[in-house]
């Protein structure tokens, strides 16, 4: 069974059936199926069903394609509370930024990199900027 990083631990993948955006929107039993989002797709049709999505997977076809970061942030800002998983080609160095955008699961192309990737989530103990994971910038958090 494939493994991934989820909520700060390496776990086995127990995903529900995964559908692309069009299939998911046409499905009658959305709450039991995951949706995978590809770069260039419009997220707007998902917003009225945001509470029905158990798992949103965002595909990164190349580590240079940053649109997935925006998808994660937008889903979280719209109130998405389910699992938000990055899949595809992203680098260990990007995990901190992905988590700051709201991603809580990471399915890497090469599972042998999971241990090092997990360590990279602890590379920074503090962040100056506001983000999904910390809405207040550092200067506002200081007493």
């Amino acid at each position: 069974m494939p493994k991934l990083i989820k909520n700060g631990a390496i776990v086995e993948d127990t995903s529900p059936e995964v559908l692309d955006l069009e299939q998911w929107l046409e499905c009658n039993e959305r709450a039991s199926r995951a949706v995978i989002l590809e770069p260039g797709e419009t997220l707007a049709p998902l917003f009225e069903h945001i509470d029905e999505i158990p798992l949103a997977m965002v595909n990164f076809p190349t580590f240079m394609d940053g649109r997935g970061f925006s998808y994660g942030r937008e889903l979280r800002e719209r109130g998405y509370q389910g699992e938000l998983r990055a899949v595809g080609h992203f680098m260990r160095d990007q995990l901190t930024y992905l988590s700051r955008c709201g991603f809580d699961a990471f399915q890497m192309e090469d599972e042998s990199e999971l241990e090092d990737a997990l360590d990279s989530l602890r590379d920074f103990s503090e962040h100056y900027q506001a983000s999904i994971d910390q809405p207040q910038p550092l200067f506002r958090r200081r007493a």
Side-chain angles (χ1 to χ4, degrees):
M1 184 168 283
K3 294 187 179 198
L4 59 113
I5 296 172
K6 182 175 176 180
N7 297 320
I10 297 173
V11 299
E12 290 188 0
D13 183 6
T14 58
S15 301
E17 180 183 8
V18 179
L19 304 176
D20 65 32
L21 179 58
E22 184 178 325
Q23 293 169 330
W24 191 87
L25 289 169
E26 292 174 0
C27 182
N28 291 328
E29 297 179 26
R30 293 183 192 112
S32 64
R33 293 181 171 84
V35 61
I36 187 160
L37 304 169
E38 298 292 339
E41 291 184 320
T42 302
L43 298 184
L46 280 181
F47 298 148
E48 66 185 80
H49 307 287
I50 205 133
D51 293 331
E52 299 176 57
I53 309 169
L55 166 60
M57 301 168 78
V58 179
N59 186 34
F60 289 81
T62 172
F63 75 90
M64 296 182 300
D65 191 334
R67 292 175 283 185
F69 289 84
S70 298
Y71 286 1
R73 179 194 49 79
E74 189 164 1
L75 285 167
R76 292 296 188 205
E77 286 179 346
R78 299 278 183 157
Y80 179 60
Q81 297 294 313
E83 179 182 332
L84 184 56
R85 183 185 302 179
V87 299
H89 299 280
F90 52 90
M91 299 183 308
R92 166 194 167 166
D93 295 351
Q94 295 174 312
L95 264 65
T96 296
Y97 303 109
L98 286 164
S99 67
R100 301 221 56 224
C101 291
F103 287 88
D104 55 5
F106 310 94
Q107 187 173 343
M108 303 187 77
E109 285 288 315
D110 184 356
E111 286 186 20
S112 70
E113 298 177 9
L114 286 175
E115 289 289 338
D116 288 337
L118 182 61
D119 289 341
S120 76
L121 287 171
R122 294 182 283 275
D123 283 347
F124 300 97
S125 60
E126 191 62 76
H127 304 283
Y128 293 107
Q129 305 86 356
S131 189
I132 294 299
D133 68 342
Q134 178 52 262
Q136 292 288 323
L138 183 62
F139 76 90
R140 296 261 187 231
R141 290 180 270 145
R142 290 188 174 175

